[in-house]
Amino acid sequence: MLPDSKMHSGASRLLSRYRGYLTAVAVVAVFTMMIFAIHRLTAEVRYEDVVAALGDTSWWALLWAAFFTALSYGALAFYDANAIDYIGRKLPLPSVMTTAFIAYAVGNTAGFGPLSGGAIRYRAYSKLGLQPGEIARVIAFVTLSFGLGLAAVSALALLVVAPRVADIVGLNGPALRFGAIAVVVVLAVLVFLSRNGREINIAGVTLRLPDTRTSSRQFLVTAVDLAGSASALYVLLPETHVGWPAFFAIYATAVALGVLSHVPAGLGVFETVMIAGLGNTISADQLLGSLVLYRLVYYVLPLLFALALAVVGELRSFAKQPLAAEIVQIAARLVPALLSTYALMLGAMLIFSSVTPTPDGDLDFLAGLLPLPIVEAAHFLSSILGLVLVVASRGIAQRLDGAWWIGLAAAAIAFLFSLMKALAVYEAIALGLFIAAMLASAGSFTRHASLFGQALGPAWLTAMAVTVVGAAGILLFVYRDTQYSHELWWQFEFSEEAPRGLRALLGLAISSAAVAMFSLLRPVARRPDDALEDDLARAVTIVEGQDVADANLVRMGDKRLLFSQSGKAFIMYGIQGRSWIALTDPVGEEEDFPDLVWQFVDMARASGGRAVFYQITPALLPSCIDAGLRAFKLGELATVDLEQFDLAGSRLSGLRQSYNRGQRDGLVFSIVEPSDVPPILGELKTISDAWLAHHNTREKSFSLGAFDAEYVVSQPVAILTNEDRIVAFATVMTTATKAEATVDLMRFAPDAPRGAMDFLFISLMTHMREAGFSRFNLGMAPLSGMSRRETAPVWDRIGGLVFEHGERFYNFKGLRAFKSKFHPQWEPRYLAVTNGTGAALALMDITFLISGGMKGVVAK
């Protein structure tokens, strides 16, 4: 038997690997239980009664609901405004409010990872100048503020109306009030501790809480938000003796449980709590009708408005006022996410409508116009087209041109079928709006990746499963009085609607299972081979024509290559464990970079790996964020402006002294061109081996060069001689554009004069300046520039602590101090990966890749 520790470790790895799928199963299970709960709670309700209740709702009630929805979304937007103010940044208020509105319109409707409000904020705020760490703080602030505000508002409401709520939901009144008091006390203590932005220490972690002013402002925002959204539903209810305060308490509880369930948009969970809480005081059929209208007004209407903003922005035909232009520009940037959410919603609409009956008057009209087989086919195929839109919505979010064509074609066919199956005018209008928006936004879908080459992840499979289960629940509810028999499957008549719904659900279930099986069981793509000589030659040619000297690391030949479709750019990457690690930004034509990022991410995911971008610049962050990755700061890169580099000034007097001392010690600097390197290769190898032995280390790879003969002779080498003996050398990386120069291997003999490193760098920079180069790249200082403020992201704070106290493991501060002597410009460098857990695992894989595996890590 295996030891308990090994069994536990294996189970942990298994849970970690399949956590996303296990979460998806749990969400679907919760949703299924809620469907059964609603079925039991509405045992006496009939579909016809719900439809009648919908028809009895007045237009005034709908207008009031729309007004309160606008009030709620206006308050929601201030979450982001307060968060931006809290992190100390200033952004144009219209851009912030528009971003927040779209984030909530998408997040409330879709409610899962790829289309969440967090993803929207990363896309928008990164283009407004916020750094990834700042965006993470905004998202954390918004999430925490909503959670605490929801708890506070719900608890205060319960304090006032606890007896009334207890009678409605069947709980003990004193116990309910005691629980509310406990929540209020805990929150009051937090507010007291956080006065004036006070810090608290929990389990050794110091947190800075928002000050009293910020907390009060956020509470007010939450109160207005929840009051507005609750009122949007309350005005849609029929006449009832349930007062608004009691209703508000139940509503807040339903919202909280819906959020905790992780079911997209809290679908089913919210309805179950509302029916359980109000079913004894309001007719269940009327309550269901009100809940349906509430979903349409509070969720669909804002999404349509956001989509209209985006389409207007794409058409560039809005007013010429700067304020209006700023708003539509933000909306236009988020077109794919909005269209993806709308496609997801339309797919669900088509699926749900396929299991609901057609009004008798419409059937009678169709019977005199179309043959029965056409109506049956339109009804059956509409559910399949709904599934096609759900699947295509993923590709629409990723701007795939194939997804655009498939979504457009599916919507166009469904538009015709909506009229042929049931004269569904509103359904046809919704599809027509989608078609128009897709045509207007065609320019946003420029990626040529294969839609069918991608597997649906856990979040998309969850959305699909929830939709199918929801359709089954609706079918059971609508035809609950119909006695099941096998003959139903073979009944084809205009008047027989239950068989049509059954067949549509069966086709939907089979198609969904096929899509899921394709995603889960298809073979993993074969790992690509190492770079061929021809590919390496192509890459070197591209390197010579661009400005980044570090791109010469491709000459090592230890990395795989991925070229853009035009062949003018490439990504160099390595594979370690499940991590596919791209080194630096793509190399070559910048216009190819966004598609290359998507291409690399798709390739990694298709092979069951995680895409990682290592040491990337801020310029690449928007492309990574668009691909669904998150960025984490690694440190800062130092570059010296060679045009301003002059030892004669007082600013670099310390370097001038080091240079003069090197000359007195007899050090002589020279550059050896590649053609002249082979004769001295033996001496360089001797120095390299001695340096490795002296430092008790071994050769690294991937992000650093190793002493390989072919690699060393492929580029110039800077050498230092002392008494005609080479005592130090550095391989020099340049490009033909002379925009940048840097060094890779830099090694010196153990008996080299003290200060030889400073002398080598000073001499090399002076030489490169005289040769016409613009800047010198001193390389990255890991964990440098990481904020250690209490308001900084956890990642930055941990990095800052390691930088400050990790000298026994790595000379972080010494490396930063050495580079600082040259008064460089510092630019951040980032790691981009799927999430926080992925970042930790990716860094581990990067360490193994650079060091040559675990053995290399242990051996330094």
Side-chain angles (χ1 to χ4, degrees):
M1 292 183 59
L2 290 173
D4 290 343
S5 60
K6 289 188 176 181
M7 292 180 63
H8 178 73
S9 177
S12 299
R13 287 196 298 269
L14 192 65
L15 287 174
S16 176
R17 181 174 182 180
Y18 295 105
R19 181 179 57 184
Y21 291 101
L22 293 174
T23 302
V25 171
V27 168
V28 175
V30 169
F31 179 71
T32 303
M33 289 189 292
M34 293 301 102
I35 291 295
F36 279 109
I38 292 175
H39 196 70
R40 289 196 302 269
L41 290 170
T42 59
E44 304 301 322
V45 179
R46 296 298 176 266
Y47 174 74
E48 295 78 10
D49 300 329
V50 175
V51 173
L54 284 170
D56 291 339
T57 305
S58 68
W59 282 103
W60 280 111
L62 291 173
L63 290 175
W64 275 112
F67 168 78
F68 286 120
T69 295
L71 179 65
S72 175
Y73 274 83
L76 284 172
F78 277 99
Y79 278 113
D80 284 56
N82 291 343
I84 298 294
D85 180 64
Y86 179 71
I87 67 172
R89 291 296 301 268
K90 298 293 184 182
L91 293 179
L93 185 60
S95 297
V96 173
M97 302 294 277
T98 303
T99 299
F101 169 68
I102 293 176
Y104 284 110
V106 171
N108 286 347
T109 304
F112 65 99
L115 296 175
S116 68
I120 295 293
R121 289 182 177 89
Y122 265 103
R123 286 174 170 85
Y125 288 142
S126 64
K127 294 182 179 180
L128 290 174
L130 292 189
Q131 298 298 316
E134 293 174 321
I135 300 173
R137 289 162 60 194
V138 168
I139 295 172
F141 182 92
V142 168
T143 303
L144 184 61
S145 296
F146 177 77
L148 293 177
L150 179 60
V153 172
S154 303
L156 290 173
L158 277 175
L159 280 178
V160 178
V161 295
R164 176 60 179 155
V165 173
D167 291 339
I168 293 174
V169 300
L171 296 176
N172 181 272
L176 199 60
R177 178 164 282 173
F178 177 79
I181 291 174
V183 172
V184 171
V185 168
V186 170
L187 294 175
V189 169
L190 282 176
V191 171
F192 175 77
L193 292 176
S194 66
R195 64 191 185 282
N196 300 322
R198 186 174 177 179
E199 301 173 7
I200 62 172
N201 189 284
I202 301 176
V205 178
T206 302
L207 300 175
R208 176 179 172 267
L209 298 174
D211 56 32
T212 305
R213 175 174 171 270
T214 303
S215 300
S216 303
R217 189 168 56 185
Q218 284 306 111
F219 175 79
L220 179 62
V221 169
T222 305
V224 174
D225 160 37
L226 288 175
S229 59
S231 299
L233 175 57
Y234 191 72
V235 296
L236 294 173
L237 296 175
E239 291 294 331
T240 174
H241 62 274
V242 178
W244 189 89
F247 168 82
F248 178 76
I250 297 172
Y251 175 87
T253 303
V255 170
L257 292 176
V259 171
L260 291 174
S261 71
H262 287 81
V263 175
L267 191 65
V269 180
F270 175 81
E271 283 77 6
T272 301
V273 177
M274 295 303 299
I275 293 172
L278 300 174
N280 294 330
T281 58
I282 301 175
S283 173
D285 53 351
Q286 293 178 318
L287 180 56
L288 274 177
S290 299
L291 289 170
V292 171
L293 284 176
Y294 168 75
R295 288 282 182 183
L296 293 174
V297 173
Y298 192 78
Y299 290 84
V300 177
L301 190 60
L303 179 65
L304 291 176
F305 184 75
L307 185 61
L309 275 179
V311 171
V312 168
E314 285 288 321
L315 294 175
R316 300 291 190 270
S317 59
F318 201 56
K320 296 182 180 180
Q321 298 296 324
L323 175 62
E326 187 175 312
I327 291 174
V328 297
Q329 284 173 7
I330 289 291
R333 291 173 187 157
L334 303 175
V335 158
L338 286 166
L339 283 173
S340 175
T341 306
Y342 193 33
L344 190 68
M345 185 195 73
L346 288 178
M349 177 193 72
L350 291 173
I351 290 171
F352 293 159
S353 69
S354 68
V355 296
T356 53
T358 305
D360 293 338
D362 293 348
L363 278 178
D364 292 339
F365 179 82
L366 289 172
L369 186 66
L370 297 172
L372 178 60
I374 292 181
V375 175
E376 291 279 358
H379 199 97
F380 178 82
L381 293 175
S382 289
S383 65
I384 307 299
L385 289 171
L387 179 64
V388 170
L389 281 174
V390 170
V391 174
S393 63
R394 178 182 185 271
I396 291 172
Q398 297 180 353
R399 298 187 291 108
L400 300 181
D401 56 355
W404 183 85
W405 281 108
I406 290 175
L408 185 64
I413 297 172
F415 176 85
L416 296 176
F417 284 174
S418 65
L419 301 175
M420 295 166 60
K421 68 176 184 179
L423 295 179
V425 177
Y426 292 117
E427 188 176 297
I429 292 174
L431 288 164
L433 290 174
F434 177 74
I435 294 169
M438 290 284 278
L439 291 172
S441 307
S444 298
F445 299 89
T446 56
R447 293 188 57 229
H448 303 301
S450 171
L451 176 64
F452 299 103
Q454 304 178 14
L456 294 177
W460 291 97
L461 291 175
T462 300
M464 189 171 66
V466 165
T467 304
V468 175
V469 173
I474 292 174
L475 182 72
L476 291 174
F477 171 76
V478 171
Y479 299 107
R480 67 193 324 161
D481 292 332
T482 301
Q483 187 68 34
Y484 174 79
S485 66
H486 296 308
E487 286 74 20
L488 285 174
W489 298 99
W490 314 111
Q491 292 180 4
F492 294 91
E493 298 179 23
F494 273 103
S495 59
E496 297 296 335
E497 301 235 52
R500 269 197 290 275
L502 273 176
R503 288 188 289 269
L505 182 62
L506 177 63
L508 174 66
I510 293 174
S511 301
S512 300
V515 172
M517 295 297 281
F518 171 78
S519 296
L520 296 173
L521 300 181
R522 68 180 192 152
V524 176
R526 181 178 62 85
R527 288 194 176 191
D529 297 325
D530 294 336
L532 301 175
E533 290 187 9
D534 290 345
D535 291 335
L536 188 58
R538 288 173 58 198
V540 170
T541 301
I542 294 173
V543 167
E544 289 294 334
Q546 51 86 56
D547 295 338
V548 180
D550 278 334
N552 281 283
L553 285 168
V554 75
R555 298 176 185 269
M556 269 294 297
D558 62 343
K559 288 169 274 291
R560 296 175 168 89
L561 300 175
L562 174 66
F563 288 90
S564 64
Q565 293 185 352
S566 69
K568 297 179 180 179
F570 69 90
I571 284 176
M572 48 183 167
Y573 67 99
I575 300 175
Q576 177 68 40
R578 290 187 57 238
S579 297
W580 291 49
I581 305 160
L583 179 61
T584 71
D585 291 10
V587 180
E589 293 290 339
E590 292 186 5
E591 62 184 21
D592 288 357
F593 288 5
D595 283 340
L596 254 180
V597 169
W598 276 104
Q599 191 177 342
F600 181 73
V601 171
D602 289 341
M603 185 173 64
R605 288 173 177 168
S607 298
R610 73 172 67 85
V612 183
F613 286 85
Y614 180 58
Q615 293 190 14
I616 60 173
T617 67
L620 195 69
L621 291 181
S623 297
C624 292
I625 290 167
D626 280 342
L629 306 182
R630 285 186 58 188
F632 302 86
K633 190 174 182 180
L634 285 173
E636 293 181 311
L637 184 85
T639 58
V640 175
D641 184 353
L642 292 179
E643 294 178 0
Q644 305 297 323
F645 183 75
D646 189 356
L647 294 179
S650 60
R651 183 164 158 266
L652 299 180
S653 59
L655 295 179
R656 184 171 63 250
Q657 293 174 9
S658 297
Y659 181 76
N660 292 335
R661 184 169 57 249
Q663 286 185 319
R664 289 195 300 269
D665 290 338
L667 293 176
V668 178
F669 169 84
S670 61
I671 290 285
V672 181
E673 295 300 327
S675 59
D676 297 325
V677 171
I680 64 171
L681 198 58
E683 289 184 77
L684 302 183
K685 182 70 165 62
T686 300
I687 294 174
S688 177
D689 292 343
W691 185 87
L692 292 172
H694 179 73
H695 288 83
N696 191 27
T697 189
R698 55 186 286 173
E699 294 283 9
K700 302 295 190 289
S701 61
F702 189 61
S703 65
L704 300 168
F707 194 96
D708 176 81
E710 292 186 13
Y711 177 66
V712 174
V713 302
S714 68
Q715 48 207 330
V717 176
I719 63 171
L720 290 184
T721 59
N722 185 268
E723 297 179 355
D724 296 326
R725 182 175 69 90
I726 299 177
V727 295
F729 75 91
T731 57
V732 183
M733 296 192 294
T734 63
T735 67
T737 65
K738 292 190 175 184
E740 182 179 82
T742 189
V743 298
D744 182 20
L745 294 175
M746 190 180 68
R747 297 179 178 175
F748 49 88
D751 60 346
R754 186 179 178 183
M757 183 185 296
D758 288 355
F759 186 84
L760 176 62
F761 268 94
I762 295 168
S763 302
L764 183 58
M765 288 186 196
T766 303
H767 174 84
M768 290 301 172
R769 183 195 62 196
E770 294 172 353
F773 283 82
S774 300
R775 64 178 181 269
F776 192 88
N777 177 355
L778 285 169
M780 197 177 77
L783 304 184
S784 172
M786 307 287 273
S787 175
R788 296 188 293 278
R789 295 181 301 174
E790 293 78 8
T791 56
V794 174
W795 177 274
D796 278 33
R797 293 169 62 190
I798 292 175
L801 289 172
V802 173
F803 178 85
E804 189 68 29
H805 304 292
E807 290 298 293
R808 60 176 296 186
F809 303 107
Y810 188 85
N811 189 22
F812 295 107
K813 296 171 71 175
L815 186 60
R816 168 86 185 200
F818 172 77
K819 298 177 190 297
S820 296
K821 291 190 295 186
F822 296 89
H823 295 279
Q825 299 172 347
W826 295 97
E827 185 180 66
R829 288 294 181 267
Y830 294 93
L831 171 81
V833 69
T834 49
N835 52 50
T837 304
L841 296 174
L843 277 179
M844 186 183 302
D845 286 336
I846 290 168
T847 302
F848 289 154
L849 185 61
I850 294 173
S851 302
M854 177 63 74
K855 182 179 179 181
V857 174
V858 174
K860 298 176 66 175

